[in-house]
Amino acid sequence: MSKLGAIGAKLHRGEISYDFVGKRKLWFTVSAVLVLLSIAGLAWRGLALGIEFRGGNEFIAAAKVNDSTVADVREAVIATNAQELGDPIVTTLNDNKVRVQTRPLSDADVLKVRDAIAREVGISNPEQVNRQQIGASWGAQIANKALLALGIFLFLVFFVIWLYFREPKGSMAAIIALVHDVLITIGLYALIGFDVTPATVIGILTILGYSLYDTVVVFDKVRENTRGITGSNRQTYSDAANLAVNQTVVRSINTTIIALLPIGSILVVGTFVLGSGPLKDLSLALFIGVAVGAYSSIFIAPALLAAFKEREPAMQALDRRVKARRAQAAGAARPVAGVAVAGAGGGVATIEGPRPQDKGTRNAPKAGPTGGGSPRPISKTSSAGRPQPKRKPRSKRGK
């Protein structure tokens, strides 16, 4: 944890940086593939709706549960040949009960199924097998109310983010990220075949709030880093947004881990200790949704916001200014080209060309073999390093 905290401090100060926003095409491609797989799963397999949505009968009987209990009870129920029985779902509860879920049955078929369950688990009186009938209309009402709640939630999210950030593009990015989270979560349920129950719907609505909370934290940092950004030419909007993600990524990871630990504990207890039930359905939806929401708040939502904002003329002009400034700085940092010559001691010397600031200087020394332009005479030496004798000046002849 201390190492992670040190990395977080360096990210916040800008000493190290990961290009989250700059690689948005990669993240968008990954999300597009996941969303398409989710839609394909929904179209191909559909959702495994629980008995609360499709209606039917539920039988619960006390029994000594062992490894073959589920298979034995299921075969006994199928052997009744009840009409409209379909494929019964047999599970165990708390290691001391058996639950059988079937489609809606007639009264005569209900008696057959109850008698078969009682004989298989060793109950003398079939009346001790509890039976509950659930109508499909009740499940339809739950589904309609869930869709209505989802629509109201998305509308309020768009309005609140717009009001808080004064930025409709931020609202659009947050809504797209939320829809992305819901589609992937539901698609995973369809592909794997998890049962969708009212507890699942509650879990999905809950993860929307968590995903939105994490996204708003990142957006708030983006707003802080981009305040007055058009008045300078030091960084683009994407650079400022990427800095915001780097400054909050460790916090997002820590929050996600802390949230997943208790949810994972509830999932383990609900699955392996209590058996199938609302606790398992709720924790499963929360576990998947929190993980997907953390991914979208880091990789998807800030990248969408940057992509939307950089379509604005002011941000495009800022991008051109920043690129021109960086190109000018890169040109000034290049070394001056020179000519390498071998020295007397075997070393290499570099004779640099004229500098731009020396142009037009009258007293600049001229390059030549004798070093003309130097104020002092330079004695010539031979290759052996001996001084050469001076020649006598020629006598002038008169005409």
Side-chain angles (χ1 to χ4, degrees):
M1 283 297 181
S2 60
K3 187 176 181 180
L4 185 61
I7 294 176
K10 291 181 180 180
L11 288 170
H12 192 274
R13 292 192 298 266
E15 296 178 5
I16 58 177
S17 178
Y18 299 98
D19 195 8
F20 295 102
V21 176
K23 296 180 179 179
R24 56 189 173 215
K25 291 184 179 179
L26 174 62
W27 316 132
F28 291 166
T29 302
V30 172
S31 294
V33 171
L34 293 176
V35 170
L36 289 177
L37 288 176
S38 301
I39 295 175
L42 289 171
W44 173 47
R45 297 191 59 177
L47 291 174
L49 298 177
I51 192 173
E52 295 87 355
F53 290 102
R54 67 176 186 270
N57 293 275
E58 184 178 66
F59 303 88
I60 298 178
K64 294 181 179 180
V65 177
N66 52 48
D67 295 338
S68 62
T69 300
V70 172
D72 294 341
V73 171
R74 187 171 180 274
E75 291 178 1
V77 171
I78 294 176
T80 60
N81 295 323
Q83 296 181 357
E84 303 295 333
L85 179 63
D87 188 12
I89 300 174
V90 182
T91 56
T92 59
L93 300 175
N94 303 333
D95 291 335
N96 57 3
K97 292 181 181 179
V98 174
R99 181 175 67 177
V100 179
Q101 294 179 341
T102 67
R103 293 179 180 179
L105 303 174
S106 63
D107 293 339
D109 289 336
V110 167
L111 294 176
K112 291 180 182 179
V113 172
R114 178 181 279 181
D115 292 340
I117 295 173
R119 286 195 306 269
E120 189 61 40
V121 299
I123 297 177
S124 58
N125 185 7
E127 295 294 332
Q128 294 180 356
V129 178
N130 296 326
R131 177 245 180 177
Q132 182 180 8
Q133 185 175 2
I134 301 174
S137 60
W138 185 77
Q141 291 177 2
I142 293 180
N144 293 333
K145 290 180 179 179
L147 292 176
L148 179 61
L150 179 61
I152 294 175
F153 178 83
L154 294 178
F155 173 77
L156 291 177
V157 165
F158 185 89
F159 179 74
V160 170
I161 293 181
W162 190 351
L163 187 65
Y164 181 71
F165 292 103
R166 305 287 182 179
E167 180 56 68
K169 293 182 175 63
S171 298
M172 292 172 57
I175 293 297
I176 293 174
L178 288 177
V179 174
H180 162 274
D181 298 345
V182 174
L183 279 177
I184 293 179
T185 304
I186 296 178
L188 187 60
Y189 266 76
L191 291 172
I192 299 180
F194 294 143
D195 289 339
V196 178
T197 64
T200 304
V201 176
I202 296 172
I204 291 175
L205 293 177
T206 304
I207 64 176
L208 294 179
Y210 175 85
S211 177
L212 178 65
Y213 166 74
D214 217 18
T215 301
V216 167
V217 171
V218 179
F219 280 10
D220 191 62
K221 198 64 180 178
V222 172
R223 182 181 62 171
E224 179 182 340
N225 292 348
T226 57
R227 187 177 290 113
I229 193 173
T230 55
S232 66
N233 59 352
R234 301 188 63 180
Q235 59 181 357
T236 63
Y237 192 94
S238 291
D239 295 335
N242 189 70
L243 176 61
V245 177
N246 279 272
Q247 291 173 335
T248 57
V249 65
V250 173
R251 175 211 161 275
S252 298
I253 294 174
N254 290 336
T255 304
T256 303
I257 293 175
I258 295 301
L260 288 178
L261 286 176
I263 295 173
S265 301
I266 296 173
L267 179 60
V268 171
V269 172
T271 304
F272 298 102
V273 178
L274 301 179
S276 179
L279 196 61
K280 187 205 75 171
D281 299 335
L282 177 62
S283 58
L284 181 62
L286 287 176
F287 193 90
I288 297 172
V290 167
V292 176
Y295 163 76
S296 68
S297 64
I298 296 174
F299 297 97
I300 302 302
L304 280 173
L305 178 60
F308 291 155
K309 289 292 293 183
E310 288 191 344
R311 294 176 179 271
E312 298 179 359
M315 296 303 169
Q316 292 177 353
L318 172 64
D319 184 70
R320 290 192 294 268
R321 293 200 307 270
V322 172
K323 289 181 179 178
R325 179 177 178 272
R326 291 175 179 173
Q328 183 179 4
R334 293 176 183 173
V336 181
V339 180
V341 295
V348 177
T350 302
I351 302 176
E352 296 183 355
R355 299 179 180 178
Q357 59 268 27
D358 294 335
K359 291 183 179 180
T361 305
R362 296 180 179 180
N363 298 327
K366 297 181 181 180
T370 61
S374 174
R376 298 181 180 179
I378 302 175
S379 61
K380 298 180 180 179
T381 58
S382 63
S383 60
R386 300 175 182 176
Q388 296 180 359
K390 297 182 180 180
R391 296 179 181 179
K392 296 181 180 180
R394 296 179 181 181
S395 61
K396 297 180 180 180
R397 299 178 180 177
K399 293 181 181 181

